[in-house]
Amino acid sequence: MVYSHEVNCMCKVKQGVNHGAAPIPEEGKWVSPKEIKDISGFTHGIGWCAPQQGACKLTLNVKNGVIEEALVETIGCSGMTHSAAMASEILPGLTILEALNTDLVCDAINTAMRELFLQIVYGRTQSAFSDGGLAIGGALEDLGKGMRSQVGTMYGTKEKGPRYLEMAEGYVTGIALDENDEIIGYQYVSLGKMTDFIKKGDDPNTAYEKAKGEYGRIKDAAKIIDPRKE
């Protein structure tokens, strides 16, 4: 350690006030963190790339400073999906400090990691007051049984109005309109369920029919239009 001449000339004064790190809530207990291994928590965060073309939702399950589970969900950029694939391999096993200083390939994922780091080290996690935290695998709860991200895609113009394209239930095949051409419901196909039916042996047409559903006042519709063509 090198000290400047000015510091070397100073007399020593003891530090009287030192209360240590403030306690933060972690998995049902209060912790005064001093090292990375003192940090645990389950949380989500959102990141965006520099041109704000795409976004990433990152979910981490941290135990004793180490990322044990990572869920990377992306939208808006085709290249980002490939970056997410690499990030899902990179993140598990790293400490949160290593992850913060590791290139996660995509700006949006790096930004999400920065936001999560702040939440985790300040005790602002989803599992802050949950005794023992969440089990490894907790991140999959957001995806549901089909392990598919919840996605909503809507489009609209002043001239032609709104179009529902993708709902949480699935790919929208038709939107129901009343006599005033206002939306009163929609029809959809759950692509996850359809794929599962095919994997179990159903032919594609049968799987398609079994995976269809509807929401709203479909029976009252004056007409049903294809939102992608009409």
Side-chain angles (χ1 to χ4, degrees), residues 48-214:
W48 54 94
C49 61
Q52 299 187 7
Q53 178 182 352
C56 167
K57 176 189 173 187
L58 181 61
T59 305
L60 298 180
N61 200 345
V62 178
K63 303 290 186 184
N64 301 316
V66 176
I67 297 171
E68 297 288 348
E69 176 185 21
L71 172 64
V72 190
E73 300 174 86
T74 62
I75 189 169
C77 172
S78 57
M80 193 187 298
T81 60
H82 295 78
S83 300
M86 297 179 69
S88 70
E89 294 190 44
I90 294 169
L91 285 168
L94 297 184
T95 69
I96 56 172
L97 184 59
E98 287 177 313
L100 181 67
N101 289 285
T102 296
D103 182 7
L104 300 175
V105 188
C106 168
D107 281 351
I109 305 174
N110 285 320
T111 303
M113 183 63 227
R114 180 194 69 198
E115 297 301 308
L116 259 70
F117 183 87
L118 294 175
Q119 293 178 35
I120 294 168
V121 297
Y122 284 124
R124 278 28 173 211
T125 62
Q126 181 178 323
S127 59
F129 298 100
S130 176
D131 190 23
L134 274 67
I136 309 305
L140 295 178
E141 295 296 322
D142 277 1
L143 301 182
K145 294 181 180 179
M147 291 193 183
R148 284 174 59 89
S149 297
Q150 302 295 310
V151 176
T153 307
M154 313 300 158
Y155 177 73
T157 61
K158 179 181 177 181
E159 180 67 24
K160 299 296 184 179
R163 296 293 188 277
Y164 297 175
L165 301 174
E166 186 94 19
M167 287 287 192
E169 298 95 330
Y171 177 97
V172 177
T173 57
I175 51 179
L177 308 179
D178 64 10
E179 293 80 2
N180 298 318
D181 288 334
E182 294 182 359
I183 297 173
I184 58 173
Y186 54 88
Q187 298 171 324
Y188 62 87
V189 174
S190 174
L191 298 179
K193 289 182 179 179
M194 179 178 171
T195 303
D196 288 340
F197 289 140
I198 293 173
K199 288 194 296 184
K200 291 178 181 178
D202 287 345
D203 66 85
N205 289 331
T206 300
Y208 178 81
E209 292 299 322
K210 290 171 67 174
K212 288 167 65 176
E214 59 185 39

